[in-house]
Amino acid sequence: MKKLIILFLLASLSLFAQESLNYQYDDSGNRILKSSDSQDCDCFCPSSYERNSWLTLNVVTDGGCGPDQCKLTGSFQIPPEYDCYSHYKIDDGSTMSSMQTLPVNMNQIEQCVPAGQTITITIYLYRYEGDPAPCKIEKTSSYCNADCCEFIDIEFTETNSASTDCCWTPDIVTDNGIICDIESLDIEVKYYNENDEELIPNGLGNLCLPPGQNNISYKLIIDGRECVEKSKLLICHCSCPTEEVYNEWFTLTSTKGGGNCSEDQCFVQPAINIPPEYQCYNGFTIETYRNGAIESISTQPAPIGQLDLSNKGICLEPGQDYKFVIKLFRYTNDPDPCILEREVTCEYEPGTEPCLPDCFNDEFEVRKNIKIAIAGCPGCYMNISYSSRKACGVWQDIQITGIEVFNTNSSVNCSGCLTDKDIYQQAVTAIIVKNDMGFDPKWLDIINEGAEPCSTVWRVSKASCWVTWEHTEFSPVHGVMRTITIYKPCNSDCCLRKLRVCRISPTEVDIQNLYTISDYPNCDNVNYLINPTGEGILVPCEYSCDMLDNYGGVYSKKEIEYVDEQKAFERNYDNLYADINVISNNTTLQVNISNTNANEVQIQISDINGKQMNHSSYQLNSNSNTFNINMSNFNTGSYVYGIIINGVMLKSDVFQVVK
């Protein structure tokens, strides 16, 4: 018997020695390693957020309690890395249990909760009996009989947007975490498309939908109870195709003598076929430009289903270029629509292409037109068609093949402002100073490589006979009747002048007329067939080899205004208004116009399909004007307003009415 007692004492001493060897406790009861110089052991109390997640409380209505009461149940799980706790106590708000050994018996918290009340459960974890600093875990249950469908919903966050699909991350959120704790509830969500087909999230939990507008519905199932179905509009915005992509499905062809055009005209036909993966646009507008001048422009987006270009073919005169622009709107009020742009040129008909004075194997290359403001004629502009070539490996040749002089304001008359010679010389100067051909001398070569600043191999060739005529046309965009004077070469001999060109600064060019190489003064019986309206008119041609007589001087790039016609129009209408501000608030469209010199404004509103909803006219004063359009009878939808001042559409945009 004594031997057994001795063995028991030795075993106890051994265990105590082992415990004493590995651990000791500080004054607060924290267990520390002896061998680590008082370094904390890993059995410490983590943050309240982490430790409170160990406890889960459930409040259910079918737990066997009385009417309008709920049953409180729960679960408790300590992570393995915190397995150094040995004892616990439970406080349910009314009583504290005795010290007990782990694991926690959760049957001790089960009780009935009265309607409209919550229960707070606190669990104290001890590392040893008598531990003066236990770890405290506390959580409050949800309310008994709380309708969590009221407080829980889903937020959709777009994760990516591509040409083929868009994905959203659905996040379950609550606006009252005390009443309905998301972590303590069993929540399931089901999603459906417009055809009531269930949508299944992918492996990442994302909901991926096709481009365009997606009206989806979703239903929350909370603790087995279905909530009322809700809906959400998720819009997948198409990405804009690159030029390389849209060139494959947007074409603009030019066919000489095609369609109903004459033999010397070009039939221009646009065509578009948007692939299925891009058919997610909401609307479109179309703009067309002839020789840089606006020919037509949409004032409001049309539904994408109406994008039919089969009737958009036109006849183009020889030497004219034509630009076709489509803007695709991905959604209503899209501030940055996708822009598709194509341009073609109608080649010159036989007899009016650039003439060849010599070096007959070196053809001229048609270059991009230049448009400038005409010096000395305010409000007048010219569009210059020209070609260039390197001739016989020596000469730097330019040749003007057409000039159009036009106004952008019906009150301006450009006819007779300058002589034909002045017009031609300004056109030659604009080409040489701009030097899109890259002819020598070039200023960068002069300052970087020490190149010669002057060259005597510049030449200007032209047909010896030219024709001039006028025609008028109305611009529906700007409400302007404009007169265009057209200068065209006739089928005649080729004149040639030699010039000396010197670059004397980054912006200044010294041009000297050296001499005439060839001159053909006879234009007898040389005529030009004009066909602007389909009826041929034979017009006599005039001698033009003297256009560069007395030409030369120092010209500055700063004095030449290179413009496009759209900007020219905008400049002419700058004085119509200083500011237009439009505000929509579902019942009223408020239009504010200040500091204007105009007399009248027209405000028009139409729906997205073009049906006119309102058209009103008002007188303007020079200071501040406010006009309110009543929209109380408008239905929910998209609408377009237009602000027209002195016959010019100055502002137009899409707005929404939601009721």
Side-chain angles (χ1 to χ4, degrees):
M1 183 67 179
K2 290 182 178 179
K3 184 177 182 180
L4 290 174
I5 293 174
I6 292 171
L7 289 174
F8 174 77
L9 290 173
L10 288 173
S12 299
L13 288 171
S14 175
L15 290 173
F16 178 78
Q18 184 177 358
E19 177 74 12
S20 300
L21 176 66
N22 294 322
Y23 298 103
Q24 68 180 19
Y25 296 91
D26 61 18
D27 293 339
S28 299
N30 292 314
R31 187 166 60 181
I32 58 176
L33 282 170
K34 282 185 175 181
S35 58
S36 59
D37 296 329
S38 298
Q39 180 181 355
D40 285 348
C41 175
D42 59 358
C43 193
F44 60 90
C45 197
S47 67
S48 60
Y49 175 81
E50 181 179 354
R51 66 179 182 263
N52 287 348
S53 67
W54 301 352
L55 175 61
T56 301
L57 298 179
N58 300 312
V59 175
V60 294
T61 57
D62 56 351
C65 294
D68 298 327
Q69 289 187 329
C70 303
K71 182 67 173 290
L72 174 67
T73 63
S75 61
F76 186 78
Q77 182 66 47
I78 302 176
E81 60 267 27
Y82 295 100
D83 63 357
C84 54
Y85 295 101
S86 61
H87 293 75
Y88 74 93
K89 288 183 181 181
I90 294 180
D91 183 357
D92 65 2
S94 60
T95 60
M96 172 79 78
S97 72
S98 61
M99 182 81 69
Q100 302 176 56
T101 58
L102 290 171
V104 175
N105 180 8
M106 294 304 293
N107 292 332
Q108 294 177 283
I109 73 163
E110 292 185 3
Q111 55 186 291
C112 293
V113 183
Q117 293 188 19
T118 63
I119 295 292
T120 299
I121 300 296
T122 306
I123 298 177
Y124 297 92
L125 295 178
Y126 298 85
R127 286 156 290 196
Y128 54 92
E129 286 191 76
D131 184 352
C135 192
K136 179 181 176 182
I137 293 92
E138 185 175 85
K139 181 165 284 190
T140 300
S141 71
S142 59
Y143 282 84
C144 174
N145 287 340
D147 185 4
C148 290
C149 291
E150 251 183 79
F151 305 107
I152 296 179
D153 203 354
I154 295 180
E155 289 182 353
F156 295 89
T157 304
E158 190 170 354
T159 59
N160 73 293
S161 178
S163 61
T164 53
D165 61 28
C166 300
C167 295
W168 283 264
T169 300
D171 293 319
I172 299 173
V173 296
T174 178
D175 58 4
N176 196 324
I178 297 177
I179 293 180
C180 294
D181 179 12
I182 293 174
E183 298 297 328
S184 65
L185 298 173
D186 180 15
I187 302 176
E188 181 186 358
V189 189
K190 291 186 176 181
Y191 308 93
Y192 304 91
N193 62 16
E194 294 176 336
N195 300 321
D196 291 328
E197 298 168 336
E198 186 172 359
L199 302 171
I200 307 299
N202 62 17
L204 298 175
N206 293 332
L207 204 62
C208 295
L209 302 172
Q213 294 190 6
N214 294 275
N215 288 291
I216 72 160
S217 59
Y218 59 94
K219 185 182 296 183
L220 287 162
I221 304 169
I222 302 175
D223 285 341
R225 174 173 173 259
E226 288 191 357
C227 297
V228 176
E229 190 173 277
K230 299 182 180 181
S231 61
K232 184 74 173 181
L233 176 63
L234 300 178
I235 301 177
C236 179
H237 300 153
C238 282
S239 61
C240 287
T242 63
E243 184 175 358
E244 181 181 0
V245 170
Y246 75 67
N247 277 347
E248 296 181 1
W249 41 273
F250 174 40
T251 59
L252 189 65
T253 58
S254 176
T255 306
K256 200 77 169 183
N260 296 321
C261 304
S262 63
E263 291 184 2
D264 61 337
Q265 293 177 322
C266 296
F267 178 65
V268 177
Q269 176 64 57
I272 190 167
N273 181 23
I274 304 178
E277 62 267 27
Y278 282 96
Q279 291 179 350
C280 52
Y281 300 104
N282 178 268
F284 73 95
T285 60
I286 291 176
E287 299 174 11
T288 60
Y289 300 81
R290 191 189 296 255
N291 269 10
I294 294 178
E295 186 172 66
S296 66
I297 185 170
S298 304
T299 58
Q300 62 188 38
I304 195 66
Q306 299 178 11
L307 184 53
D308 179 11
L309 305 183
S310 59
N311 62 344
K312 299 294 184 180
I314 57 102
C315 292
L316 201 63
E317 294 295 327
Q320 290 185 331
D321 54 58
Y322 189 75
K323 182 166 68 174
F324 201 96
V325 179
I326 301 175
K327 294 182 179 179
L328 297 176
F329 294 83
R330 293 162 291 189
Y331 51 92
T332 304
N333 294 329
D334 184 355
D336 187 25
C338 303
I339 298 177
L340 319 182
E341 182 177 307
R342 301 300 299 269
E343 187 172 1
V344 295
T345 300
C346 183
E347 300 298 333
Y348 289 93
E349 71 274 20
T352 60
E353 67 269 13
C355 61
L356 295 175
D358 55 19
C359 303
F360 302 108
N361 293 325
D362 297 322
E363 297 288 339
F364 277 89
E365 176 186 355
V366 177
R367 304 203 64 84
K368 183 73 175 177
N369 289 10
I370 291 178
K371 302 171 186 66
I372 64 170
I374 300 177
C377 298
C380 297
Y381 302 84
M382 75 168 79
N383 179 36
I384 309 160
S385 304
Y386 74 106
S387 299
S388 66
R389 71 169 184 169
K390 280 290 186 72
C392 295
V394 176
W395 305 109
Q396 299 179 148
D397 288 356
I398 58 174
Q399 184 172 155
I400 295 177
T401 51
I403 298 174
E404 293 182 353
V405 173
F406 57 90
N407 61 332
T408 57
N409 190 319
S410 54
S411 64
V412 174
N413 182 11
C414 300
S415 178
C417 177
L418 293 177
T419 66
D420 294 347
K421 183 180 292 187
D422 292 331
I423 295 293
Y424 183 82
Q425 290 186 7
Q426 284 195 29
V428 171
T429 302
I431 294 171
I432 295 176
V433 171
K434 199 166 190 289
N435 194 22
D436 282 338
M437 310 80 61
F439 286 172
D440 294 328
K442 298 186 284 289
W443 181 250
L444 288 179
D445 291 347
I446 296 170
I447 61 173
N448 292 334
E449 302 175 13
E452 288 293 327
C454 298
S455 172
T456 58
V457 296
W458 284 70
R459 304 191 307 181
V460 178
S461 59
K462 69 189 306 292
S464 59
C465 306
W466 278 52
V467 66
T468 304
W469 75 91
E470 290 184 353
H471 78 271
T472 58
E473 64 182 31
F474 180 74
S475 171
V477 178
H478 303 284
V480 173
M481 182 66 73
R482 64 179 191 169
T483 301
I484 302 176
T485 303
I486 300 174
Y487 299 82
K488 282 286 186 180
C490 301
N491 187 6
S492 58
D493 296 315
C494 212
C495 305
L496 194 60
R497 289 284 180 112
K498 187 177 180 182
L499 303 178
R500 178 177 180 267
V501 176
C502 299
R503 304 278 172 186
I504 58 178
S505 80
T507 58
E508 292 180 303
V509 180
D510 185 357
I511 304 174
Q512 298 300 323
N513 190 349
L514 295 182
Y515 54 85
T516 300
I517 298 177
S518 58
D519 186 0
Y520 301 92
N522 188 1
C523 289
D524 295 342
N525 302 318
V526 180
N527 301 303
Y528 188 93
L529 183 63
I530 301 173
N531 189 24
T533 59
E535 298 180 1
I537 303 173
L538 204 61
V539 179
C541 299
E542 302 292 336
Y543 172 69
S544 65
C545 284
D546 59 351
M547 289 292 190
L548 287 182
D549 287 354
N550 304 316
Y551 174 64
V554 176
Y555 303 93
S556 174
K557 191 174 184 178
K558 297 177 181 178
E559 297 172 353
I560 303 174
E561 187 178 359
Y562 297 92
V563 298
D564 60 56
E565 189 176 352
Q566 173 64 19
K567 292 181 180 177
F569 274 113
E570 290 171 355
R571 274 196 307 277
N572 277 277
Y573 289 101
D574 277 347
N575 63 332
L576 290 180
Y577 74 101
D579 185 42
I580 298 177
N581 182 36
V582 180
I583 303 172
S584 169
N585 64 2
N586 290 328
T587 59
T588 303
L589 186 77
Q590 185 182 90
V591 180
N592 301 294
I593 304 173
S594 60
N595 301 323
T596 179
N597 295 323
N599 301 318
E600 183 186 59
V601 61
Q602 298 178 49
I603 304 173
Q604 62 182 28
I605 304 175
S606 61
D607 64 19
I608 200 67
N609 296 315
K611 179 182 177 181
Q612 190 170 98
M613 307 296 295
N614 180 86
H615 191 284
S616 306
S617 298
Y618 304 94
Q619 294 299 307
L620 291 168
N621 60 55
S622 59
N623 295 320
S624 179
N625 305 268
T626 297
F627 309 105
N628 293 305
I629 310 299
N630 184 6
M631 300 189 302
S632 59
N633 62 336
F634 284 27
N635 296 323
T636 296
S638 299
Y639 296 87
V640 181
Y641 69 78
I643 311 299
I644 304 168
I645 295 181
N646 283 12
V648 181
M649 179 77 73
L650 290 179
K651 190 176 182 68
S652 178
D653 205 350
V654 181
F655 66 96
Q656 299 289 320
V657 172
V658 180
K659 294 185 177 178

